[in-house]
Amino acid sequence: KAGVTQTPRYLIKTRGQQVTLSCSPISGHRSVSWYQQTPGQGLQFLFEYFSETQRNKGNFPGRFSGRQFSNSRSEMNVSTLELGDSALYLCASSLPASSADTQYFGPGTRLTVL
Amino acid sequence: AQKVTQAQTEISVVEKEDVTLDCVYETRDTTYYLFWYKQPPSGELVFLIRRNSFDEQNEISGRYSWNFQKSTSSFNFTITASQVVDSAVYFCALSEARNDKLIFGTGTRLQVFP
């Protein structure tokens, strides 16, 4: 079974631009979560989507948004990019059978903001 | 509040040495889940183990073993006879029953030298 895929793998943007990252979950998984990883803050939860609805949200500004499509694929959008948004963005998918199902991660998208 | 502490920032060992990575957690919930993930230089978080709060049985998987002790709120990870391929950053994580958000520790970088 194919794992979680994320595109693009690398991205370079400039301040003020916006960016969209994509995540395709493992086949059959309906929950998708997003995390930001930076050297200073570590791994932080952004949000979780299940059945096209945001089910949980971390403590990030409104510039960070996401959505999930009917095929469970998810996108994350960051508007008005800031230098501090440079990070590795990781997507994880899980089965919806119960809470706290194991999350399986993709390879991440490394975003650099200049 | 939930919190995961990995006090060891970096550990260096020589191949074939045993090494233990410490993880201490805090939560007010009686039902929770603990995880270990491995992050090699490629960046992807690789799932290693999940443990439920009501199951304190220790687990062994090949060279890996985990010691879960609720009395000390610890979930330590031991690698026996370490190998160079074990070099990575290891993260301990916690999630509570009411949501799927993973709270990560700051990670322990393990370097295994030949």
Side-chain angles (χ1 to χ4, degrees):
Chain A
K1 198 182 259 191
V4 177
T5 58
Q6 292 186 245
T7 56
R9 293 292 311 278
Y10 302 91
L11 208 47
I12 299 176
K13 291 286 188 179
T14 56
R15 277 182 302 174
Q17 289 187 306
Q18 75 165 25
V19 66
T20 299
L21 313 181
S22 180
C23 171
S24 292
I26 292 171
S27 177
H29 285 193
R30 292 169 58 196
S31 174
V32 173
S33 297
W34 289 89
Y35 293 82
Q36 181 197 64
Q37 185 177 24
T38 60
Q41 299 300 315
L43 277 156
Q44 294 186 288
F45 172 79
L46 280 157
F47 28 64
E48 183 214 356
Y49 286 87
F50 172 69
S51 290
E52 302 177 64
T53 302
Q54 188 180 87
R55 192 160 68 170
N56 207 354
K57 189 178 189 305
N59 190 24
F60 278 82
R63 300 186 296 107
F64 292 82
S65 63
R67 59 177 176 168
Q68 186 180 34
F69 302 95
S70 58
N71 61 358
S72 296
R73 190 177 69 85
S74 177
E75 287 182 348
M76 186 193 117
N77 185 275
V78 187
S79 62
T80 319
L81 284 166
E82 300 177 359
L83 295 179
D85 297 332
S86 293
L88 179 66
Y89 289 89
L90 292 161
C91 164
S93 75
S94 61
L95 287 166
S98 63
S99 62
D101 274 310
T102 298
Q103 295 183 33
Y104 296 91
F105 285 80
T109 294
R110 187 165 295 281
L111 171 65
T112 302
V113 181
L114 302 176
Chain B
Q2 301 168 290
K3 186 179 179 181
V4 176
T5 300
Q6 294 180 257
Q8 303 152 309
T9 304
E10 188 162 340
I11 300 175
S12 295
V13 299
V14 176
E15 232 179 353
K16 297 183 183 173
E17 280 187 43
D18 298 347
V19 58
T20 295
L21 310 182
D22 298 333
C23 172
V24 174
Y25 62 91
E26 293 176 33
T27 178
R28 293 178 185 165
D29 280 20
T30 54
T31 301
Y32 52 89
Y33 305 86
L34 296 165
F35 303 81
W36 276 95
Y37 286 88
K38 173 183 180 180
Q39 187 174 43
S42 60
E44 181 173 349
L45 280 171
V46 178
F47 166 72
L48 295 177
I49 191 171
R50 163 197 165 111
R51 178 57 80 217
N52 305 331
S53 57
F54 43 86
D55 180 6
E56 282 194 76
Q57 204 169 17
N58 291 329
E59 181 152 340
I60 298 174
S61 176
R63 297 184 297 106
Y64 296 171
S65 62
W66 290 270
N67 183 357
F68 176 29
Q69 291 194 334
K70 286 178 76 171
S71 60
T72 57
S73 297
S74 65
F75 185 40
N76 297 336
F77 172 31
T78 297
I79 301 174
T80 302
S82 59
Q83 299 176 2
V84 173
V85 293
D86 295 328
S87 297
V89 180
Y90 291 85
F91 290 94
C92 180
L94 163 74
S95 71
E96 295 175 343
R98 60 175 173 268
N99 68 64
D100 289 351
K101 177 174 70 172
L102 285 171
I103 303 297
F104 285 91
T106 51
T108 298
R109 180 179 299 278
L110 173 65
Q111 293 194 75
V112 182
F113 293 99

